[in-house]
Amino acid sequence: MLKPRSWPLWLIFLIVVTVPILIGYVWLLLSSFNDRVHGLTPAGDWGLSNWRFLWENVGRRPSIWTVMLNTLLFAGGVSVTVVIVSAMAAYAVSRLSFPGRSWFLGLILVLHAFPAVSLLIASYYVLVVLGLFDSLLGVILVMTSFMMPLGIWLLKGFFDSLSWEMEMAALVDGASRWRIFWRIAMPLVSPGLFAVGIFTFLVAWGEFILPYTFIVSGRTWTFSIYLNSMIGDFEMADYGLLGAVGLFYMLPAVAVFFFGQRYLLTMYSGGSKG
Amino acid sequence: MTEPVHKGVSVSLQGLAKNFGQVEALKPLDLDIRSGELVAFLGPSGCGKTTTLLLIAGIYKASAGGIRFDGAPVNDLHPSKRDIGMVFQSYALYPHLSLFENIAFPLRLRRVPRDQLKARVSKAAEQLQIGEVLHRRPGQVSGGQQQRAALARALVKEPRMLLLDEPLSNLDAQVRLQARSEIRRLQQELGITSILVTHDQAEALAMADRIAVFRAGELLQFAPPEDLYRSPADAFVAQFVGNPPMNLFHGSVSGGVFRADGLETAVPASWPEGPGSLGIRPEDIRIVPSAHEATVSTMLQVMEPLGRDYLLNCAMEEGFVQALTADRADASVGDTIHLRFAPDKLQLFAEDGRRIEP
């Protein structure tokens, strides 16, 4: 353990290492409200012109509000689906014995470690065959399947910590397995459900490669595609605009993190007791 | 509330056995439990007593043998259809529900109408004196109240049998004694057939009509408390039941005399010659003034005053002997004292642990 009196030294060290990141955010903030920025020094006029994307379409891109709605649908859809499906899977893995259970558990671990990018082409074919290419639903399904292994493992830990006796009591009281799952087990692992839900939402909110690969038309763009379209197009990158959009993109994620951090903490500390 | 409300079921186990893979958790077991009786399953942990209880509850499926309630086989009956109430060691209350909702849970699953449900929950809560805390959650009430709530939840269905799995072992000593007599009173009032799983021999002796002693998945003896205490079928039962436990000395019988290290006593002529263990309860030993009347002379190592009696711990060449006596004859620690075993209370156990009938 660190002795209390060595804390100030460590604090200074941590602040020094954090400064570059902080400078990044300061630059983002300054450049979004100014025409031109030299380093950290504003060189142009203050104004909201970089934020014009809020009330008009920039270039040939879709409205930011469509993009916002798409991203919310995408992240929310992934989050809800991952929570519900992996909760059922985690309960089964934690509580029921079925053939191939340990094999299944091992497989989940392997899948979790598997780089999703290497499955892009296979996923593309699956989506095309299903007629879900270039649709939000299609990307939601792909993203969900990539996020599920983690969700199952985390929630299995939460279900494992529930007492068997409670389940036996419910069984004797006349509850079916399905009912025990919904009425007893699910409420008791709700901190875990929130944690997995919020975590998945945040990851999906920031996800780029899947939407970028599987979505083509502007009406289904998500934020990360929108941002990407602003750099490396045929036009020169407008850094002021880029900064403003970036900040706007961050806001929901920051809000979700702010309200959800106490659930995220339970995710790392494992189980729950009522 | 004085006449029995529920008719208790009679239970018959025939060759009931349970294996977990290669592990033989319960060897084939035959046991008959009468209607309205409280039977204790007693034994150390891992002896098969809880396994037997869960088999009766239907939570485990039997590997072999049958279970009958009132003569009808129930092997394939779902736990909820067996009409049983169950209380667990951890109480297994649902932490996210109030005590009221906990007790109401089995009734809600049975779709009992709202007004009836309320009346039945209130009645069960009254019986167990937790009416005032019904709105609280399990985490907000004492261990004793949780235990009562668990009992109320088990009884609210008006089951034909009550299964209690170590229901008292998480309680403080004082509350435990109170809960003991309360459960017994309630059980007799309701006339409900009950099985109590416990590792505490005092609890079993105090509460049960009959006690089944288990060891290593095997039923050793099934008898009323007095018989179990006076004539244990086995050296294990002899030492497990009773506190302080029975003294056992390994030695051998020859010519009507039992000899062990430092110990010599005349025994009934009917006892077979050869090696065995001599058993004597601590309360059947007293201090005598001279060596020639004594069974054994030994040094007093520890003396515990228990109020009315003294518990004397004396060193033997191998192990020790414990005596429980009201008259310590002015002996003090370090003295050599002379102990006499009451000749009519001696018991002999064969090499395999079986008691030899006098």
Side-chain angles (χ1 to χ4, degrees), chain A:
Chain A
M1 281 301 290
L2 295 173
K3 291 193 189 87
R5 71 194 145 82
S6 64
W7 281 9
L9 269 176
W10 279 104
L11 273 180
I12 291 167
F13 172 74
L14 289 175
I15 288 169
V16 168
V17 200
T18 319
V19 159
I21 303 165
L22 285 178
I23 289 176
Y25 284 109
V26 171
W27 180 87
L28 207 57
L29 202 66
L30 288 177
S31 58
S32 80
F33 289 105
N34 206 293
D35 289 348
R36 277 185 311 127
V37 176
H38 284 306
L40 283 177
T41 323
D45 295 327
W46 294 101
L48 288 175
S49 65
N50 288 331
W51 292 83
R52 63 184 182 281
F53 65 88
L54 289 178
W55 50 85
E56 62 186 42
N57 291 3
V58 181
R60 299 175 55 201
R61 300 184 188 93
S63 150
I64 196 75
W65 300 107
T66 311
V67 171
M68 169 73 107
L69 183 69
N70 284 338
T71 318
L72 278 175
L73 282 176
F74 173 63
V78 169
S79 166
V80 169
T81 322
V82 164
V83 165
I84 292 176
V85 180
S86 38
M88 291 190 216
Y91 181 82
V93 168
S94 165
R95 283 302 201 248
L96 311 175
S97 70
F98 50 89
R101 179 180 169 279
S102 57
W103 187 80
F104 179 70
L105 268 175
L107 196 70
I108 295 174
L109 255 194
V110 173
L111 281 178
H112 178 40
F114 209 80
V117 181
S118 58
L119 289 175
L120 273 183
I121 295 170
S123 311
Y124 169 80
Y125 278 113
V126 173
L127 286 185
V128 168
V129 167
L130 292 175
L132 291 173
F133 182 70
D134 196 21
S135 73
L136 267 183
L137 180 62
V139 211
I140 288 174
L141 290 181
V142 174
M143 181 82 192
T144 299
S145 60
F146 288 150
M147 292 299 289
M148 282 222 334
L150 180 70
I152 295 174
W153 263 102
L154 280 171
L155 290 177
K156 176 184 175 288
F158 279 87
F159 283 118
D160 283 347
S161 74
L162 297 183
S163 93
W164 269 104
E165 290 195 339
M166 203 155 56
E167 225 158 300
M168 290 182 191
L171 206 64
V172 170
D173 284 348
S176 63
R177 241 15 216 277
W178 185 243
R179 196 163 190 127
I180 293 172
F181 173 70
W182 284 108
R183 294 280 302 274
I184 308 291
M186 283 295 259
L188 292 176
V189 298
S190 55
L193 301 177
F194 277 111
V196 169
I198 290 164
F199 179 78
T200 315
F201 183 90
L202 291 177
V203 173
W205 186 261
E207 175 64 24
F208 169 64
I209 196 78
L210 292 179
Y212 182 68
T213 316
F214 298 133
I215 287 176
V216 185
S217 0
R219 61 185 168 79
T220 32
W221 273 15
T222 61
F223 255 119
S224 52
I225 308 177
Y226 189 93
L227 264 185
N228 180 63
S229 75
M230 297 169 61
I231 31 179
D233 257 0
F234 297 105
E235 52 194 306
M236 279 283 286
D238 180 343
Y239 285 108
L241 184 65
L242 195 63
V245 174
L247 276 180
F248 187 63
Y249 180 25
M250 254 171 57
L251 288 179
V254 170
V256 167
F257 185 82
F258 185 77
F259 290 112
Q261 53 176 330
R262 77 192 171 91
Y263 293 109
L264 287 178
L265 283 179
T266 69
M267 188 168 95
Y268 300 109
S269 56
S272 71
K273 288 278 177 196

